[in-house]
Amino acid sequence: MSTDVRKVAAVVVTYNRLEKLKKVLASLESQTRLPQMLVIVNNAATDGTAEYLQEYAQRFALSDSMQLDIVTLEKNEGGAGGFSAGMRRSYELGADYAWIFDDDGYPEPDALDKLVLGYDSAVAELGPDVPFACSMVKFIDGTISEMNNPIPTWDWGRLKAKGLDIVMVSRCSFVSVLIPRWVMEAFGLPYKEYFIWFDDAEYTLRITKSCPGVQVLDSVVLHDMGVNRGVNFSMIDEKNAWKFSYGVRNEASYHLHHEGFYQYLRFCALVWNGMRHGNVAKPLRKKMYKKMIEAWKFNPRVDYPQVAAK
């Protein structure tokens, strides 16, 4: 029997994907290492999620396997606002780790067990400053998830060379990431103001200033994202322009306010070139240019969690 007393809070953010959420919850309940807490953030869903979660809570009350906490937001705060709220709640509940992922990521049964073991192995080799451990994210057909590949460090294979199934990374997406409590205390929470897009990249870049994070390759999560492809600025169209608008604003703001004017200009040139090669419609190009300008005044402050008053 394990003597590990560290508390893990699984944090799931959901919005209008009820059927997929049900699969996520079933996957969590089937973990070989159960998280002690389950925090579900309902991002003001309108598809019956609230009613389902009420029923789920009643059924859950009959089990003592995990502590359930449902956070219901008054309005849709996007993925960024949802993750910020969920991580904050995990901290208030006293969790030692927040294990965060979206409502279309299905962890394999040993995903958390492997993730914690991998994190511990990385800490043993690199020291206590390892800020996160993320899983290998695959598409539902078993191929790699194109939009969830972490960015490796120059010496990514350092731990692999020692026989560990772990690589070193500087940033990753919020699909199965284990974040220690001390990281939230030292670096704060993700920018909720980002709403969607680049919140995960900014946050993981923020917390890897002193030490890289790691990807645990034998901890696997399936990402049920519909179409398995990456994204670039040549793909902007009428349907997705709203999402790209947040992406352009957020990333332009990050480069300008955290890296400097040159990196901001470099990013703007990248967007311009991508749209040109993709023959993006001129009205949509103008919309993205406005977001580049908007980034000048858009610079959120870091928000830190606090233990809730009793």
Side-chain angles (χ1 to χ4, degrees):
M1 184 175 179
S2 173
T3 58
D4 191 344
V5 296
R6 293 173 296 176
K7 298 178 181 178
V8 177
V11 177
V12 184
V13 178
T14 187
Y15 176 72
N16 285 358
R17 289 196 286 212
L18 179 55
E19 294 309 311
K20 291 183 178 181
L21 173 64
K22 292 176 181 179
K23 293 181 181 180
V24 173
L25 298 180
S27 298
L28 287 173
E29 293 173 16
S30 300
Q31 290 296 299
T32 56
R33 172 176 178 148
L34 286 174
Q36 285 85 348
M37 308 167 189
L38 172 56
V39 178
I40 305 173
V41 180
N42 177 8
N43 227 334
T46 59
D47 64 343
T49 293
E51 292 77 10
Y52 173 77
L53 290 179
Q54 286 182 340
E55 298 173 5
Y56 184 76
Q58 292 174 355
R59 297 200 310 271
F60 209 90
L62 302 176
S63 171
D64 59 358
S65 57
M66 287 185 281
Q67 176 184 349
L68 176 65
D69 195 276
I70 298 174
V71 178
T72 302
L73 302 182
E74 294 183 359
K75 63 178 182 178
N76 181 10
E77 301 285 354
F83 285 122
S84 177
M87 289 170 62
R88 180 190 301 278
R89 187 58 183 150
S90 75
Y91 185 91
E92 293 172 347
L93 293 172
D96 298 298
Y97 300 91
W99 181 31
I100 63 176
F101 45 93
D102 217 337
D103 58 0
D104 57 356
Y106 315 141
E108 293 193 346
D110 60 355
L112 178 58
D113 195 17
K114 294 289 183 63
L115 199 57
V116 173
L117 291 173
Y119 178 79
D120 289 344
S121 296
V123 167
E125 293 290 339
L126 301 175
D129 293 336
V130 178
F132 71 82
C134 63
S135 298
M136 165 70 77
V137 184
K138 295 182 180 181
F139 188 52
I140 54 175
D141 63 0
T143 60
I144 196 167
S145 179
E146 298 292 343
M147 68 183 303
N148 301 116
N149 287 315
I151 304 300
T153 63
W154 68 270
D155 57 345
W156 61 270
R158 186 177 298 276
L159 300 178
K160 189 74 174 173
K162 291 194 172 185
L164 299 174
D165 208 11
I166 302 170
V167 295
M168 296 160 58
V169 298
S170 61
R171 62 180 256 197
C172 70
S173 68
F174 280 167
V175 179
S176 185
V177 188
L178 189 73
I179 299 176
R181 182 181 183 87
W182 68 262
V183 168
M184 290 181 271
E185 293 174 339
F187 297 99
L189 301 168
Y191 289 136
K192 58 182 180 295
E193 296 85 355
Y194 273 21
F195 190 80
I196 194 172
W197 210 317
F198 205 71
D199 51 312
D200 45 11
E202 184 285 324
Y203 189 70
T204 49
L205 284 169
R206 188 198 314 172
I207 66 180
T208 54
K209 296 294 185 183
S210 300
C211 180
V214 295
Q215 182 183 32
V216 182
L217 299 178
D218 59 358
S219 172
V220 178
V221 172
L222 300 182
H223 193 187
D224 187 4
M225 57 183 182
V227 179
N228 187 22
R229 64 178 182 179
V231 295
N232 60 69
F233 297 106
S234 69
M235 300 165 59
I236 300 174
D237 58 31
E238 290 288 349
K239 291 183 178 180
N240 62 30
W242 71 272
K243 185 180 293 187
F244 273 97
S245 293
Y246 284 110
V248 169
R249 181 200 63 177
N250 296 345
E251 191 166 354
S253 171
Y254 173 78
H255 291 302
L256 178 62
H257 298 292
H258 298 276
E259 294 184 330
F261 186 62
Y262 171 76
Q263 293 299 331
Y264 166 77
L265 288 180
R266 186 172 179 272
F267 171 72
C268 291
L270 179 68
V271 176
W272 175 84
N273 192 50
M275 292 192 297
R276 181 176 65 88
H277 280 290
N279 293 316
V280 174
K282 288 185 178 180
L284 298 180
R285 296 191 200 190
K286 290 181 179 178
K287 187 173 184 178
M288 299 307 142
Y289 297 149
K290 289 180 180 179
K291 291 299 177 179
M292 295 176 190
I293 297 172
E294 185 179 326
W296 280 78
K297 294 184 178 180
F298 180 71
N299 186 21
R301 294 185 177 182
V302 175
D303 190 16
Y304 291 88
Q306 295 179 344
V307 176
K310 296 182 180 180

